[in-house]
């Protein structure tokens, strides 16, 4: 038997080496379906194996089947970062292995979660007095917010724009809520006239506005949506899963204007705040509404404390990971200035990429690009652009994804990894141009 110390040293050495060489690995895994599984024993071992055997298979079998989200040329979906302080904090979290369901079951976990969320609130310039807690994903945060809205207004519908994230559809399906989608304008923002019209015809429990839509990062007109919600007393949930983090920089705060009137707001530090997945912050002005919807205390969970927060009362899950530790570590080890510098650089390089596309014959921009995500396409048919994307991704040099805008197939480059530099983005652009020239 090797000792825990030796295994831990070997694992941490593996992590350090991985981070050093990740940019030399193909971004998108090239394995065929079933290949990884076919290389591993189908049944569990009878006798204990050393941890070194796990590390060996990680290197030889698992790694080729990994698509490297921590690669500086990962530009698909929304690019994310497992930053070094976040990686280390995940190790510490697993070592402590506390369940933060009640204050009593680990007071520090609850109190650090409340503190870290208040730090995020301050970093984003959000109003004082918001209650914040962590869920695993924006999908769960939105589900929780809409459950609270339903509890407050049973039978009411939900309204969002056609560009809202599919997690709104899923939450409505799970909660048995009717969902109405209103069309977006030419810049992919929720259309206020259509919203006003629908609110006049349908009793609404909630409206979901998006700050940074998934396809184009468009920003719905939240102040005007908030005014319409106030007239109808409908719950306003703002989904800022990606773009909310941009508000650590004052020049991007415009995107969150109006959220002071929102009933709830979701921002994912695991998207653009350098925190390893999973970590989603749900803020609300109405913590009592979340408690009304979710608090359910069986005898075995009753404790004698009063005036403490039991975070199990604010969302669907009872058992809760100590996610605040990594968020707190990431914020401390970057500082406000460090977070701002990364976000500013991502936005700068994305704007530079957009300028290259705009001035290159045969290419066009397909949407406004207020943050670090650019929608664009090469001249020609959808099928040609789809084939181009596949060729680019198959090179392993860069990984991009796509969306559909106004019925057209569009390529999408999203910058969000802390290791991404201008050199990486230029490299991706060269691969795009080279592959387009071959069509
Ligand atoms: C990514 C994203 C989501 C979903 O986030 P998860 O944490 O994966 O559930 C929801 N809304 C928006 C706008 C997003 O960009």
């Amino acid at each position: 038997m090797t000792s825990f110390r030796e295994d831990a040293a070997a694992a941490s050495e593996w992590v350090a080496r991985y981070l050093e060489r990740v940019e030399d690995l193909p971004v998108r895994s090239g394995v065929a379906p079933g290949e990884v599984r076919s290389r591993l024993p189908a049944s569990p071992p009878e006798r204990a194996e050393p941890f070194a055997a796990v590390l060996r298979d990680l290197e030889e079998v698992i790694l080729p089947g990994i698509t490297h989200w921590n690669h500086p040329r990962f530009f698909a979906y929304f690019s994310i970062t497992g930053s070094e302080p976040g990686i280390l904090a995940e190790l510490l979290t697993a070592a402590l292995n506390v369940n933060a369901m009640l204050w009593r079951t680990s007071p520090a976990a609850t109190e650090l979660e409340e503190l870290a969320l208040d730090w995020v609130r301050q970093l984003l310039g959000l109003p004082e007095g918001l209650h914040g807690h962590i869920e695993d994903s924006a999908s769960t945060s939105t589900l929780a917010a809409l459950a609270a809205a339903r509890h407050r207004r049973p039978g009411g519908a939900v309204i969002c724009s056609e560009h809202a994230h599919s997690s709104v559809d899923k939450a409505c399906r799970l909660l048995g809520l009717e969902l109405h989608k209103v069309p977006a304008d030419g810049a992919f923002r929720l259309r206020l006239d259509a919203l006003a019209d629908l609110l006049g015809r349908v009793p609404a429990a909630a409206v979901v506005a998006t700050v940074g839509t998934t396809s184009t990062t468009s920003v719905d007109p939240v102040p005007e949506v908030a005014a319409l919600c106030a007239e109808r007393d409908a719950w306003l949930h703002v989904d800022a899963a990606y773009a909310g983090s941009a508000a650590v920089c004052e020049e991007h705060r415009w995107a969150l204007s109006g959220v002071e009137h929102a009933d709830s707001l979701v921002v994912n530090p695991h998207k653009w705040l350098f925190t390893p997945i999973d970590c989603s912050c749900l803020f609300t002005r109405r913590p009592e509404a979340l408690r009304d919807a979710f608090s359910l205390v069986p005898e075995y969970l009753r404790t004698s404390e009063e005036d403490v927060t039991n975070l199990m009362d604010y969302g669907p899950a009872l058992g809760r990971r100590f996610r605040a530790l990594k968020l707190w570590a990431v914020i401390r080890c970057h500082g406000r200035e460090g977070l701002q510098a990364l976000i500013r650089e991502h936005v700068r390089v994305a704007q530079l990429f957009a300028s290259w596309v705009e001035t290159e014959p045969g290419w066009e921009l397909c949407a406004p690009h207020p943050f670090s995500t650019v929608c664009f396409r090469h001249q020609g048919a959808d099928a040609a652009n789809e084939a181009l994307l596949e060729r680019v991704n198959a090179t392993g040099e860069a990984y991009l994804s796509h969306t559909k805008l106004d019925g057209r197939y569009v390529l999408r480059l999203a910058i969000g990894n802390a290791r991404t530099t201008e050199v990486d983005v230029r490299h991706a652009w060269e691969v795009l141009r080279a592959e387009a020239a071959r069509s």
Side-chain angles (χ1 to χ4, degrees):
M1 279 290 271
T2 44
S3 72
F4 177 75
R5 270 205 172 73
E6 281 168 44
D7 290 338
S12 96
E13 179 55 27
W14 190 92
V15 171
R17 280 248 309 121
Y18 173 70
L19 295 176
E20 281 161 14
R21 68 190 156 127
V22 60
E23 66 182 287
D24 301 321
L25 301 173
V27 190
R28 194 184 69 170
S29 168
V31 297
E35 196 176 322
V36 172
R37 191 160 175 190
S38 72
R39 293 186 59 194
L40 294 168
S43 304
E46 290 303 328
R47 258 170 286 122
E49 296 181 58
F51 190 75
V54 175
L55 270 185
R56 193 188 58 234
D57 282 348
L58 174 68
E59 179 67 32
E60 291 172 7
V61 185
I62 305 295
L63 201 59
I66 293 291
T67 290
H68 298 284
W69 288 71
N70 239 351
H71 193 298
R73 288 192 302 281
F74 185 105
F75 300 120
Y77 310 103
F78 280 118
S79 174
I80 58 178
T81 307
S83 65
E84 287 84 348
I87 294 168
L88 295 174
E90 283 283 29
L91 173 68
L92 306 177
T93 294
L96 294 171
N97 201 34
V98 304
N99 185 335
M101 55 191 191
L102 300 164
W103 178 85
R104 173 51 69 201
T105 60
S106 215
T110 294
E111 293 188 17
L112 195 66
E113 188 162 330
E114 292 181 307
L115 177 89
L117 272 277
D118 198 57
W119 281 14
V120 173
R121 179 193 68 72
Q122 294 176 51
L123 286 169
L124 304 186
L126 297 170
E128 275 178 49
L130 284 181
H131 179 273
H133 78 277
I134 300 177
E135 292 288 350
D136 56 355
S137 61
S139 303
T140 305
S141 292
T142 292
L143 176 73
L146 294 182
R150 178 185 68 169
H151 200 82
R152 186 163 159 265
R153 177 79 56 81
V158 174
I159 304 175
C160 66
S161 109
E162 57 178 326
H163 276 272
H165 190 266
S166 59
S167 55
V168 179
D169 301 68
K170 203 183 255 187
C172 288
R173 205 196 281 181
L174 285 169
L175 295 167
L177 294 168
E178 198 177 289
L179 177 64
H180 297 266
K181 294 203 181 171
V182 300
D185 66 15
F188 312 105
R189 299 168 301 206
L190 176 145
R191 258 180 48 200
L192 289 166
D193 58 334
L195 175 63
D197 176 58
L198 198 56
L199 280 169
R201 292 187 287 114
V202 173
V207 175
V208 179
T210 311
V211 169
T213 56
T214 311
S215 278
T216 73
T217 73
S218 60
V219 176
D220 288 340
V222 177
E224 292 79 5
V225 173
L228 289 170
C229 286
E231 272 173 29
R232 304 280 170 178
D233 194 28
W235 182 288
L236 173 58
H237 176 61
V238 175
D239 178 359
Y242 153 76
S245 298
V248 296
C249 304
E250 289 82 3
E251 69 272 27
H252 299 304
R253 291 258 168 100
W254 62 268
L256 287 184
S257 79
V259 299
E260 64 277 15
H261 305 299
D263 298 284
S264 54
L265 164 73
V266 56
V267 179
N268 275 8
H270 79 222
K271 272 222 171 109
W272 204 11
L273 215 60
F274 316 106
T275 306
I277 194 165
D278 52 358
C279 185
S280 175
C281 297
L282 179 59
F283 293 100
T284 183
R285 284 197 297 141
R286 301 182 184 279
E288 74 293 348
L290 283 178
R291 282 198 305 271
D292 286 347
F294 289 110
S295 184
L296 193 154
V297 187
E299 188 50 41
Y300 52 83
L301 291 173
R302 243 173 250 291
T303 55
S304 54
E305 286 87 17
E306 286 165 19
D307 299 331
V308 298
T309 301
N310 295 320
L311 288 171
M312 67 169 190
D313 290 339
Y314 294 81
L318 169 63
R320 309 182 74 259
R321 300 183 61 219
F322 186 8
R323 298 188 187 89
L325 191 68
K326 61 185 171 184
L327 179 57
W328 184 62
V330 167
I331 296 172
R332 287 185 65 175
C333 297
H334 286 81
R336 186 197 296 266
E337 288 178 7
L339 298 170
Q340 287 174 334
L342 283 169
I343 283 174
R344 287 201 172 112
E345 182 62 4
H346 290 168
V347 175
R348 183 188 75 81
V349 178
Q351 301 309 316
L352 193 61
F353 177 81
S355 74
W356 299 336
V357 172
E358 197 169 20
T359 54
E360 183 80 6
W363 295 84
E364 63 171 312
L365 293 172
C366 302
H369 38 85
F371 305 107
S372 67
T373 301
V374 181
C375 290
F376 64 105
R377 76 198 299 284
H378 190 237
Q379 64 194 14
D382 284 359
N385 275 278
E386 194 171 347
L388 169 62
L389 180 65
E390 182 47 39
R391 286 201 304 281
V392 167
N393 290 341
T395 66
E397 293 294 318
Y399 184 31
L400 285 74
S401 57
H402 79 280
T403 188
K404 273 216 163 150
L405 295 177
D406 301 324
R408 286 199 314 170
Y409 191 96
V410 164
L411 310 183
R412 206 174 147 282
L413 178 123
I415 300 173
N417 186 272
R419 295 175 190 85
T420 301
T421 66
E422 184 179 328
V423 174
D424 293 304
V425 177
R426 189 172 281 284
H427 187 108
W429 178 226
E430 277 157 16
V431 174
L432 279 158
R433 283 168 58 211
E435 292 300 330
R438 292 179 351 125
S439 56

